[in-house]
Amino acid sequence: MAKLHFRPYIPNQTVLFPQRIDENIASNDPVRIVNTVVDTLHLEGFNKLYKETGRCPYHPKMMLKVIIYAYMNNIYSCRKIEKLLLRDIHYIWLAGNEHPDFITINRFRNRVKEEINNVFTQLVLVLADKGFISLEVEYIDGTKIESKANKYTFVWRKSVEKHRTKLLDKIRILLEQVDEAIAQENSVAMLSDIVDELKEVLEHQPATKDKEQKKALREKKKQLKELEGYRDKLTEYDNHLDTLGERNSYSKTDPDATFMRMKEDAMKNGQTKPGYNLQIGTEKQFLIDFRLFPNPTDTLTLIPFFHSFQHRYNRLPAVGVADSGYGSEENYRFMQENGIEAFVKYNFFHKEQRPRYTPNPFHAESLHYNTEEDYYVCPMGQRMNRIGTRRDKTASGYITESARYKAQNCEGCPLRGSCFKAQGNRIIEVNHRLNQYKRQAREILLSEEGIKHRGRRCIEPEAVFGQMKYNMAYRRFRHKGEDKVTMDFAFFAIAFNIKKMCAKLLKAGKGGTARIICILIRTIMTQYTRNIAAYYQISEKRVA
């Protein structure tokens, strides 16, 4: 009868792992591409973040590799990364068997929060250098991502202004009781001077045994204490207004976050939550630019976002594609003046393309306009002459002009009920410049190239948001403060682009080994090195 044999099992042996730990890592594993890409990046800017004396820190390349690879695998917690450095063979090999703890990992992220944006820019330039992207077309869209802040720590501008007005009235009444001559002083500085002066007067009051004088002294001390409380509260309201700036709200635990309505509304009640408006630019589903904004709407973000692109790459994109949330006169004018071909929709563009769409004959845009003599004709054939110009200022300071036209006599008109319902003769306001931009946008959007970009836009930033939120579980920021949130998303954007590059290379290789891919990446980075010095020279000149 044959004897049963098992393979030797000695868990306490001296050497448990093989001599080369990467023997157990697949040749086409993305960890090898991460290792190759980071090895060839220019990280000289990291050196100024460390001191020459003291204990030797962990190598920044090693830390960067580990964090990027963790983000590629949907791991954003420093404690989880610390555990993987002891358990997962990919992380052990990538870190060279180093074991930084979670505090060290977190400190490294915060240390490089200013430089990590340059690393992201370098990676995008690498992708452009080898034809993954062109940096000529930018598909722009935004989404709101919730902050780590408590959703019940809100401060509202209207509430602060209302309570501050009421407090000023209380201060005025109290000062009238103390001294009528100073009743009009309501600034914090003057109020502090008044409190200090009253304190000094009360401290030098002579002692007395008269009941009436004692009662009056107690009343003055009570008023002084009340005035001190009002002063402190007024200071608090002024600080709130300084923090708000141009915003309507902010969170006490994350003052950079603004309360917005999120798409992910679990309670279905439209509850506002603290968050940031994340704007991204994509091409071929690669992230080529990103920036965070405090305002919930997208209209005012387009021009600053183009400036962000220019700051990164020293030029603007040749083509900009965006949805109707960005279609304003200010944005159209900026793109036209800067030579950007704008495939940007405007409000009602989709409605106009419906087969059964019928324009409202009473709407101002449907009325006949005589360009030479500058007047409109109402549906009844009555002439509407120009009576003036109305100027408005947007939140960004841009001045819009609308021409005003008035009908001569609308009394007794049979179409009055359908035309308008206000008293007197009808007045319309028309922004001719915006209408001209809309006509140009309609023409370019309906062209063959416009149809191609419109179809592409749906699968560019929208697909990136889907992969980010659902595939990579990046739905909420894990830091407080705009600088730290930007740093965290920069790490995520680098990991996202490398992950996308790995997928495209493996798909193009059709089963080829990662050794060939790594050689290709190394070649890419070698060729890119020749151009990166010029980029840094330009960046240094720009900073100077």
Side-chain angles (χ1 to χ4, degrees), residues 19-58:
Q19 292 182 350
R20 284 182 58 88
I21 197 171
D22 61 334
E23 289 179 1
N24 294 331
I25 298 176
S27 59
N28 61 348
D29 196 285
V31 70
R32 296 185 181 274
I33 298 180
V34 173
N35 183 61
T36 304
V37 170
V38 177
D39 273 341
T40 48
L41 286 175
H42 290 264
L43 302 180
E44 289 81 2
F46 285 17
N47 295 337
K48 63 184 180 183
L49 306 175
Y50 294 91
K51 295 181 180 179
E52 297 179 355
T53 58
R55 184 180 178 182
C56 295
Y58 290 105

Side-chain angles (χ1 to χ4, degrees), residues 41 185 231 241 278 400 439-440 486:
L41 286 175
E185 303 296 345
R231 179 198 60 186
L241 292 174
L278 172 65
T400 62
R439 285 192 290 270
Q440 295 174 1
T486 304

Side-chain angles (χ1 to χ4, degrees), residues 318-366:
V319 177
V321 186
D323 62 8
S324 59
Y326 302 87
S328 68
E329 178 190 342
E330 183 180 5
N331 293 340
Y332 284 130
R333 184 173 183 176
F334 175 85
M335 289 184 282
Q336 186 182 65
E337 292 176 351
N338 288 274
I340 301 173
E341 193 173 4
F343 294 90
V344 180
K345 302 172 188 174
Y346 53 87
N347 291 337
F348 301 108
F349 173 78
H350 282 295
K351 192 174 181 181
E352 291 174 358
Q353 307 311 311
R354 294 175 184 173
R356 298 183 180 179
Y357 171 73
T358 304
N360 186 353
F362 300 101
H363 196 272
E365 294 184 358
S366 301

